[in-house]
PDB file of all heavy atoms in Angstrom:
ATOM      1  N   ASP A 125      22.775  -4.882  30.240  1.00 89.00           N
ATOM      2  CA  ASP A 125      23.202  -4.807  28.835  1.00 89.00           C
ATOM      3  C   ASP A 125      23.278  -3.376  28.308  1.00 89.00           C
ATOM      4  O   ASP A 125      23.543  -3.156  27.134  1.00 89.00           O
ATOM      5  CB  ASP A 125      22.219  -5.603  27.957  1.00 89.00           C
ATOM      6  CG  ASP A 125      22.169  -7.067  28.352  1.00 89.00           C
ATOM      7  OD1 ASP A 125      23.233  -7.634  28.663  1.00 89.00           O
ATOM      8  OD2 ASP A 125      21.047  -7.649  28.370  1.00 89.00           O
ATOM      9  N   VAL A 126      23.044  -2.392  29.160  1.00 90.00           N
ATOM     10  CA  VAL A 126      22.974  -0.989  28.720  1.00 90.00           C
ATOM     11  C   VAL A 126      24.289  -0.534  28.114  1.00 90.00           C
ATOM     12  O   VAL A 126      24.321   0.107  27.063  1.00 90.00           O
ATOM     13  CB  VAL A 126      22.599  -0.077  29.909  1.00 90.00           C
ATOM     14  CG1 VAL A 126      22.775   1.395  29.519  1.00 90.00           C
ATOM     15  CG2 VAL A 126      21.160  -0.324  30.314  1.00 90.00           C
ATOM     16  N   GLU A 127      25.400  -0.871  28.758  1.00 91.00           N
ATOM     17  CA  GLU A 127      26.711  -0.420  28.256  1.00 91.00           C
ATOM     18  C   GLU A 127      26.977  -0.929  26.843  1.00 91.00           C
ATOM     19  O   GLU A 127      27.394  -0.172  25.961  1.00 91.00           O
ATOM     20  CB  GLU A 127      27.824  -0.897  29.219  1.00 91.00           C
ATOM     21  CG  GLU A 127      29.188  -0.360  28.825  1.00 91.00           C
ATOM     22  CD  GLU A 127      30.267  -0.745  29.824  1.00 91.00           C
ATOM     23  OE1 GLU A 127      29.919  -1.142  30.958  1.00 91.00           O
ATOM     24  OE2 GLU A 127      31.453  -0.634  29.463  1.00 91.00           O
ATOM     25  N   ASP A 128      26.701  -2.211  26.600  1.00 92.00           N
ATOM     26  CA  ASP A 128      26.930  -2.777  25.274  1.00 92.00           C
ATOM     27  C   ASP A 128      25.894  -2.237  24.271  1.00 92.00           C
ATOM     28  O   ASP A 128      26.200  -2.060  23.088  1.00 92.00           O
ATOM     29  CB  ASP A 128      26.862  -4.296  25.335  1.00 92.00           C
ATOM     30  CG  ASP A 128      27.424  -4.952  24.069  1.00 92.00           C
ATOM     31  OD1 ASP A 128      28.452  -4.442  23.554  1.00 92.00           O
ATOM     32  OD2 ASP A 128      26.834  -5.920  23.595  1.00 92.00           O
ATOM     33  N   LEU A 129      24.687  -1.978  24.729  1.00 91.00           N
ATOM     34  CA  LEU A 129      23.645  -1.430  23.868  1.00 91.00           C
ATOM     35  C   LEU A 129      24.071  -0.083  23.315  1.00 91.00           C
ATOM     36  O   LEU A 129      23.911   0.191  22.136  1.00 91.00           O
ATOM     37  CB  LEU A 129      22.341  -1.284  24.671  1.00 91.00           C
ATOM     38  CG  LEU A 129      21.067  -0.922  23.896  1.00 91.00           C
ATOM     39  CD1 LEU A 129      20.681  -2.024  22.939  1.00 91.00           C
ATOM     40  CD2 LEU A 129      19.928  -0.631  24.870  1.00 91.00           C
ATOM     41  N   ILE A 130      24.637   0.748  24.167  1.00 93.00           N
ATOM     42  CA  ILE A 130      25.136   2.050  23.738  1.00 93.00           C
ATOM     43  C   ILE A 130      26.274   1.891  22.734  1.00 93.00           C
ATOM     44  O   ILE A 130      26.352   2.621  21.739  1.00 93.00           O
ATOM     45  CB  ILE A 130      25.617   2.877  24.967  1.00 93.00           C
ATOM     46  CG1 ILE A 130      24.395   3.227  25.851  1.00 93.00           C
ATOM     47  CG2 ILE A 130      26.341   4.144  24.532  1.00 93.00           C
ATOM     48  CD1 ILE A 130      24.780   3.864  27.188  1.00 93.00           C
ATOM     49  N   HIS A 131      27.120   0.895  22.988  1.00 93.00           N
ATOM     50  CA  HIS A 131      28.267   0.655  22.109  1.00 93.00           C
ATOM     51  C   HIS A 131      27.830   0.249  20.692  1.00 93.00           C
ATOM     52  O   HIS A 131      28.391   0.730  19.714  1.00 93.00           O
ATOM     53  CB  HIS A 131      29.157  -0.439  22.706  1.00 93.00           C
ATOM     54  CG  HIS A 131      30.261  -0.865  21.814  1.00 93.00           C
ATOM     55  ND1 HIS A 131      31.360  -0.099  21.528  1.00 93.00           N
ATOM     56  CD2 HIS A 131      30.404  -2.041  21.085  1.00 93.00           C
ATOM     57  CE1 HIS A 131      32.138  -0.746  20.693  1.00 93.00           C
ATOM     58  NE2 HIS A 131      31.599  -1.929  20.417  1.00 93.00           N
ATOM     59  N   ILE A 132      26.820  -0.631  20.589  1.00 93.00           N
ATOM     60  CA  ILE A 132      26.474  -1.169  19.257  1.00 93.00           C
ATOM     61  C   ILE A 132      25.814  -0.138  18.355  1.00 93.00           C
ATOM     62  O   ILE A 132      25.773  -0.328  17.125  1.00 93.00           O
ATOM     63  CB  ILE A 132      25.564  -2.435  19.362  1.00 93.00           C
ATOM     64  CG1 ILE A 132      24.223  -2.094  20.004  1.00 93.00           C
ATOM     65  CG2 ILE A 132      26.270  -3.542  20.076  1.00 93.00           C
ATOM     66  CD1 ILE A 132      23.266  -3.272  20.042  1.00 93.00           C
ATOM     67  N   VAL A 133      25.309   0.975  18.928  1.00 93.00           N
ATOM     68  CA  VAL A 133      24.746   2.013  18.070  1.00 93.00           C
ATOM     69  C   VAL A 133      25.721   3.167  17.848  1.00 93.00           C
ATOM     70  O   VAL A 133      25.358   4.213  17.321  1.00 93.00           O
ATOM     71  CB  VAL A 133      23.412   2.559  18.638  1.00 93.00           C
ATOM     72  CG1 VAL A 133      22.390   1.448  18.743  1.00 93.00           C
ATOM     73  CG2 VAL A 133      23.595   3.270  19.970  1.00 93.00           C
ATOM     74  N   GLY A 134      26.972   2.943  18.250  1.00 92.00           N
ATOM     75  CA  GLY A 134      28.006   3.929  17.948  1.00 92.00           C
ATOM     76  C   GLY A 134      28.300   4.914  19.052  1.00 92.00           C
ATOM     77  O   GLY A 134      29.053   5.861  18.869  1.00 92.00           O
ATOM     78  N   GLY A 135      27.686   4.720  20.226  1.00 93.00           N
ATOM     79  CA  GLY A 135      27.925   5.620  21.357  1.00 93.00           C
ATOM     80  C   GLY A 135      27.176   6.931  21.219  1.00 93.00           C
ATOM     81  O   GLY A 135      26.491   7.180  20.234  1.00 93.00           O
ATOM     82  N   PRO A 136      27.290   7.774  22.258  1.00 93.00           N
ATOM     83  CA  PRO A 136      26.550   9.049  22.238  1.00 93.00           C
ATOM     84  C   PRO A 136      27.189  10.019  21.225  1.00 93.00           C
ATOM     85  O   PRO A 136      28.387   9.866  20.910  1.00 93.00           O
ATOM     86  CB  PRO A 136      26.717   9.544  23.665  1.00 93.00           C
ATOM     87  CG  PRO A 136      27.964   8.923  24.169  1.00 93.00           C
ATOM     88  CD  PRO A 136      28.038   7.563  23.493  1.00 93.00           C
ATOM     89  N   LEU A 138      23.024   9.752  21.075  1.00 93.00           N
ATOM     90  CA  LEU A 138      22.140   8.728  20.535  1.00 93.00           C
ATOM     91  C   LEU A 138      20.699   9.065  20.905  1.00 93.00           C
ATOM     92  O   LEU A 138      20.436   9.917  21.751  1.00 93.00           O
ATOM     93  CB  LEU A 138      22.526   7.337  21.064  1.00 93.00           C
ATOM     94  CG  LEU A 138      22.688   7.138  22.575  1.00 93.00           C
ATOM     95  CD1 LEU A 138      21.326   6.928  23.234  1.00 93.00           C
ATOM     96  CD2 LEU A 138      23.580   5.952  22.863  1.00 93.00           C
ATOM     97  N   ARG A 157      27.434   9.725  27.438  1.00 93.00           N
ATOM     98  CA  ARG A 157      27.267   8.332  27.860  1.00 93.00           C
ATOM     99  C   ARG A 157      26.509   8.263  29.203  1.00 93.00           C
ATOM    100  O   ARG A 157      25.610   7.450  29.372  1.00 93.00           O
ATOM    101  CB  ARG A 157      28.614   7.616  27.977  1.00 93.00           C
ATOM    102  CG  ARG A 157      28.513   6.172  28.468  1.00 93.00           C
ATOM    103  CD  ARG A 157      29.867   5.491  28.395  1.00 93.00           C
ATOM    104  NE  ARG A 157      30.271   5.294  27.018  1.00 93.00           N
ATOM    105  CZ  ARG A 157      29.911   4.250  26.243  1.00 93.00           C
ATOM    106  NH1 ARG A 157      29.113   3.316  26.763  1.00 93.00           N
ATOM    107  NH2 ARG A 157      30.324   4.143  25.018  1.00 93.00           N
ATOM    108  N   ALA A 160      22.918   8.953  28.608  1.00 93.00           N
ATOM    109  CA  ALA A 160      22.267   7.829  27.932  1.00 93.00           C
ATOM    110  C   ALA A 160      21.987   6.709  28.930  1.00 93.00           C
ATOM    111  O   ALA A 160      20.892   6.121  28.937  1.00 93.00           O
ATOM    112  CB  ALA A 160      23.154   7.325  26.780  1.00 93.00           C
ATOM    113  N   GLU A 161      22.986   6.391  29.747  1.00 91.00           N
ATOM    114  CA  GLU A 161      22.799   5.317  30.733  1.00 91.00           C
ATOM    115  C   GLU A 161      21.660   5.646  31.706  1.00 91.00           C
ATOM    116  O   GLU A 161      20.844   4.763  32.012  1.00 91.00           O
ATOM    117  CB  GLU A 161      24.107   5.101  31.512  1.00 91.00           C
ATOM    118  CG  GLU A 161      25.217   4.467  30.673  1.00 91.00           C
ATOM    119  CD  GLU A 161      26.527   4.396  31.414  1.00 91.00           C
ATOM    120  OE1 GLU A 161      26.634   5.031  32.514  1.00 91.00           O
ATOM    121  OE2 GLU A 161      27.465   3.744  30.919  1.00 91.00           O
ATOM    122  N   ILE A 164      18.183   5.406  29.786  1.00 90.00           N
ATOM    123  CA  ILE A 164      17.844   4.013  29.451  1.00 90.00           C
ATOM    124  C   ILE A 164      17.475   3.248  30.714  1.00 90.00           C
ATOM    125  O   ILE A 164      16.454   2.523  30.734  1.00 90.00           O
ATOM    126  CB  ILE A 164      19.020   3.313  28.728  1.00 90.00           C
ATOM    127  CG1 ILE A 164      19.254   3.971  27.353  1.00 90.00           C
ATOM    128  CG2 ILE A 164      18.723   1.821  28.544  1.00 90.00           C
ATOM    129  CD1 ILE A 164      20.528   3.507  26.654  1.00 90.00           C
ATOM    130  N   VAL A 176      17.113   1.973  21.066  1.00 93.00           N
ATOM    131  CA  VAL A 176      18.173   2.981  21.050  1.00 93.00           C
ATOM    132  C   VAL A 176      18.714   3.046  19.636  1.00 93.00           C
ATOM    133  O   VAL A 176      18.996   2.021  19.012  1.00 93.00           O
ATOM    134  CB  VAL A 176      19.290   2.602  22.052  1.00 93.00           C
ATOM    135  CG1 VAL A 176      20.413   3.620  21.989  1.00 93.00           C
ATOM    136  CG2 VAL A 176      18.732   2.492  23.456  1.00 93.00           C
TER     137      VAL A 176
END
Side-chain angles (χ1 to χ4, degrees):
D125 300 320
V126 170
E127 185 176 343
D128 195 39
L129 189 66
I130 293 172
H131 173 72
I132 63 176
V133 300
L138 52 81
R157 178 174 292 275
E161 290 174 349
I164 294 171
V176 178

